[in-house]
Amino acid sequence: MNLEQKLAKLDELAQTIEQENISLSKSLEIFEQSVTLAKECMQTLNDCKGRLTVLTEEVRRIVDEK
Amino acid sequence: MTVSVTQLNNYIKGMVEIDGVLSDLSVVGEITNVKQYKSGWFFSLKEGDNSINCLTFSAATPPVTGMMAVIEGHLNYYPKTGSLSVYVRRITSTKNTGESYLNFLELKEKLKKEGLFDDERKKIVPKSCQKVGIVTSETGAVIHDITNVVYRRQPFTQLFLYPVKVQGEGADFEIARGVLYFNDTDVDAVIVGRGGGSNEDLSVFNSEVVVRAIAACSKPIVSAVGHGVDFTLSDFAADKRAVTPTEAAEFVTLDVQKEKDHIRYCLSQIASICNNKIISCKDSVAYNLKGIQSTISLLTQSYKSKFVRQLTKIESNTTNKLQQRQHQLDKSMTKLSALNPKSILQRGYAHISHKGNTLSSIDELQIGQQIDIFMQDGVAQATVTNKETK
């Protein structure tokens, strides 16, 4: 699953858990799944932020070179 | 006799002013080089290769290039520059167009018909030329301006000058040769130009040989002849017309510093957008997770409340039942207590028995019979001496 799919899944889980007929054990299962997804999303986003910083620096260096 | 410049100029001025012919002139010629200023109009009146400068502040008819006209006024000598000009008070059109202007229009029409000015023929001038050919005079402001602007904007550009005369006899052929010279080179574009001047000065750029050379050149040509107001046939044939030599230099180069700034700006915009996207995604993750967490918490709380309610119910039921049983037990105990023989004896009654058998009727007693009398706190033996039935 890519980042967008994970974000969509997380959104879906947040909606599912709000349904009234859902059991506590099922809710906890969803919560567990959400935490795992959130961790993965945050990891990906932090990677993106890092790559963005590196690229910005690299392009700035190229622009200043010539 | 030696005189100073001032003395000479003042002498000439005096001579001009006292001359009866020069003080009231009427001259016929073709108007050219018209320039309008706040104060009035400046122009030349020409005939063939001869011309005289004119100026007017009051003429009702404005001068128009190419117009054949009779001008009336007086000659004036200007000592500061040592120049002569006619102060015109009236311009009268002769309704004929000047010969040189007619020639210009005729050639323009002819070249236009041949398609030399067609937009389809025009080549695209690269925005960032690495090598630029220049056809102009090696002295003067034009080459200086172009060089300055090009190196300031795009320092890595290579410039190649083909020096030519830009006015006078033979200038047209030199310019044409210069333009065609760059055909066999690897320049990206060619600038053909000269600075401002009179129509006569610029006329070389109206010559057929120059216009044809520009049209025939395989390289993109930028014309930069005179100032903005001047139009020559070279301008029509060139792939692009610059108002000034500086603008021509700008057409063929990029402002590297400006481009760098632009790239930096774009980069910072992209980075900012990416950053915002990351922040927004993180917010979305946190929001959903918090929502889920909150729902779980509410659900747990609800289960807890439900559990507590049930527990309380059970507890209450149990207590009630216990109280009921206790009540029943108390009732039974009271009953049992009432039935206890001892409690009857306590009320003052006695239990009579004979040899362990309870005697409850008078008929069971015999006179002289030994009986046991049980009381609440002891037993006594007695003998029946009398009996009476009631």
Side-chain angles (χ1 to χ4, degrees):
Chain A
M1 257 201 294
N2 63 24
L3 177 67
E4 282 70 25
Q5 287 167 331
K6 283 177 186 171
L7 287 170
K9 181 71 186 168
L10 199 58
D11 208 35
E12 186 191 311
L13 288 174
Q15 281 173 19
T16 308
I17 205 166
E18 280 182 4
Q19 288 167 12
E20 281 181 1
N21 56 354
I22 208 144
S23 69
L24 181 61
S25 63
K26 181 68 186 169
S27 299
L28 281 169
E29 199 181 294
I30 289 174
F31 190 30
E32 221 165 10
Q33 207 180 338
S34 309
V35 171
T36 309
L37 273 175
K39 265 189 197 167
E40 288 172 9
C41 287
M42 285 300 189
Q43 184 60 51
T44 310
L45 289 167
N46 286 337
D47 287 350
C48 288
K49 177 88 181 160
R51 279 169 62 198
L52 183 67
T53 310
V54 170
L55 285 170
T56 306
E57 276 307 309
E58 200 173 328
V59 177
R60 191 164 287 148
R61 191 174 49 76
I62 293 166
V63 171
D64 289 340
E65 240 172 29
K66 203 170 178 184
Chain B
M1 186 177 74
T2 305
V3 293
S4 69
V5 174
T6 308
Q7 284 173 323
L8 176 63
N9 278 1
N10 285 340
Y11 177 76
I12 297 172
K13 189 172 168 59
M15 291 297 287
V16 168
E17 282 173 0
I18 58 165
D19 190 291
V21 175
L22 299 179
S23 61
D24 189 13
L25 288 168
S26 179
V27 192
V28 64
E30 181 186 344
I31 291 175
T32 181
N33 293 327
V34 178
K35 288 182 177 72
Q36 187 180 11
Y37 295 95
K38 274 184 186 172
S39 52
W41 300 84
F42 288 72
F43 60 96
S44 301
L45 199 67
K46 67 172 271 190
E47 182 192 30
D49 292 336
N50 298 305
S51 68
I52 180 87
N53 292 332
C54 303
L55 61 151
T56 179
F57 308 111
S58 57
T61 308
V64 178
T65 298
M67 177 200 275
M68 284 300 288
V70 175
I71 58 151
E72 292 166 62
H74 66 273
L75 195 70
N76 181 63
Y77 183 73
Y78 192 55
K80 275 193 180 174
T81 54
S83 57
L84 279 165
S85 51
V86 180
Y87 272 42
V88 180
R89 63 174 181 278
R90 184 187 293 167
I91 300 170
T92 310
S93 169
T94 62
K95 307 289 180 192
N96 294 320
T97 307
E99 190 188 344
S100 62
Y101 192 63
L102 278 176
N103 290 340
F104 170 83
L105 292 177
E106 194 181 332
L107 180 61
K108 185 182 171 189
E109 197 52 34
K110 176 182 154 192
L111 297 175
K112 190 180 174 186
K113 272 186 186 161
E114 284 183 36
L116 264 64
F117 306 150
D118 289 354
D119 285 343
E120 298 78 52
R121 291 177 56 96
K122 301 214 184 284
K123 296 173 279 294
I124 293 166
V125 180
K127 284 184 178 170
S128 175
C129 297
Q130 307 289 308
K131 296 179 177 181
V132 179
I134 304 167
V135 180
T136 191
S137 166
E138 64 185 325
T139 57
V142 172
I143 186 66
H144 186 71
D145 288 351
I146 292 175
T147 309
N148 276 351
V149 174
V150 166
Y151 288 147
R152 175 172 51 77
R153 287 166 60 86
Q154 203 178 270
F156 50 87
T157 316
Q158 287 179 269
L159 296 177
F160 302 93
L161 172 68
Y162 189 99
V164 291
K165 283 202 296 185
V166 289
Q167 65 187 78
E169 205 177 327
D172 50 357
F173 284 100
E174 276 192 31
I175 294 167
R177 266 198 302 274
V179 169
L180 295 173
Y181 163 80
F182 285 110
N183 253 344
D184 300 324
T185 65
D186 59 351
V187 296
D188 302 305
V190 179
I191 297 173
V192 182
R194 62 152 288 151
S198 65
N199 282 358
E200 287 66 43
D201 292 341
L202 305 183
S203 65
V204 67
F205 289 91
N206 287 326
S207 87
E208 191 169 346
V209 65
V210 172
V211 178
R212 286 193 184 282
I214 288 173
C217 185
S218 61
K219 306 291 178 186
I221 302 264
V222 179
S223 70
V225 181
H227 298 303
V229 291
D230 305 314
F231 257 102
T232 64
L233 295 182
S234 293
D235 294 326
F236 293 113
D239 299 297
K240 198 158 181 146
R241 178 200 178 228
V243 177
T244 59
T246 300
E247 192 182 65
E250 286 170 355
F251 281 155
V252 297
T253 55
L254 283 179
D255 189 333
V256 174
Q257 195 51 49
K258 209 169 161 186
E259 293 303 316
K260 277 183 182 180
D261 291 344
H262 183 64
I263 291 169
R264 275 195 205 95
Y265 172 75
C266 290
L267 182 71
S268 103
Q269 285 295 99
I270 291 167
S272 166
I273 289 165
C274 287
N275 214 18
N276 287 343
K277 180 98 181 154
I278 289 171
I279 290 168
S280 149
C281 285
K282 278 186 173 179
D283 284 351
S284 162
V285 169
Y287 175 78
N288 279 331
L289 203 60
K290 209 170 172 186
I292 291 169
Q293 196 180 7
S294 159
T295 309
I296 289 275
S297 178
L298 282 174
L299 201 62
T300 314
Q301 195 59 42
S302 140
Y303 271 82
K304 226 180 200 175
S305 306
K306 208 170 171 183
F307 167 73
V308 168
R309 274 204 308 279
Q310 283 167 349
L311 202 65
T312 312
K313 207 171 166 184
I314 291 166
E315 191 192 3
S316 160
N317 280 345
T318 312
T319 310
N320 284 345
K321 276 181 184 163
L322 192 69
Q323 282 173 346
Q324 272 178 12
R325 298 289 179 275
Q326 188 67 49
H327 187 66
Q328 279 177 349
L329 188 65
D330 287 351
K331 260 170 88 176
S332 302
M333 286 303 284
T334 312
K335 255 187 192 169
L336 276 173
S337 177
L339 292 171
N340 190 347
K342 266 191 177 177
S343 61
I344 299 169
L345 295 179
Q346 278 169 350
R347 293 205 301 270
Y349 296 96
H351 175 251
I352 301 166
S353 70
H354 174 68
K355 292 179 181 174
N357 295 318
T358 301
L359 301 173
S360 58
S361 170
I362 197 79
D363 293 338
E364 289 173 295
L365 290 174
Q366 303 295 321
I367 301 291
Q369 192 178 15
Q370 291 280 313
I371 55 170
D372 296 319
I373 302 168
F374 289 90
M375 300 188 78
Q376 69 159 325
D377 49 356
V379 64
Q381 276 81 42
T383 306
V384 178
T385 58
N386 194 19
K387 73 170 190 176
E388 192 179 332
T389 306
K390 286 184 181 175

